[in-house]
Amino acid sequence: MKTIDLQVEGMSCDSCVKHVTHALQPLPGVSGVEVDLQSGHVRVSGELAQGSAPLLMALTDAGYPAKLATDAPIPAATSQPKASGCHSGGAGGCGCR
């Protein structure tokens, strides 16, 4: 099993976390997706024979530009919203921009 760590831009709420997760989970070989909203880190695990390119493309297509993370420790707590009510003025790719 391989793990790829990504730095994802534009996540600002729990809805963004769900969009990112749903963009990555259906990809071939992906068996797990961990998202840390606060840091913007996403860890993808599985039999990722095609590497990071399909992951990065799926996230970009979903409205969340991403790149490979150089330092990507995933904190224990995940999916914590930065602010309540971000749908009325946040900066996320989920449409709350």
Side-chain angles (χ1 to χ4, degrees):
M1 184 174 301
K2 185 175 181 179
T3 300
I4 296 177
D5 291 318
L6 305 170
Q7 183 65 41
V8 180
E9 297 177 24
M11 294 190 299
S12 61
C13 65
D14 273 345
S15 182
C16 295
V17 171
K18 290 177 188 172
H19 285 267
V20 166
T21 302
H22 290 149
L24 295 171
Q25 279 183 331
L27 296 177
V30 172
S31 61
V33 177
E34 296 175 57
V35 179
D36 181 59
L37 176 60
Q38 196 165 23
S39 69
H41 282 100
V42 175
R43 177 168 288 158
V44 184
S45 57
E47 300 301 324
L48 306 169
Q50 305 238 348
S52 63
L55 307 175
L56 297 171
M57 188 179 313
L59 289 171
T60 299
D61 289 348
Y64 299 91
K67 62 182 179 180
L68 287 175
T70 55
D71 298 315
I74 301 289
T78 59
S79 304
Q80 297 300 317
K82 286 185 178 178
S84 61
C86 82
H87 290 286
S88 62
C94 68
C96 61
R97 297 180 206 242

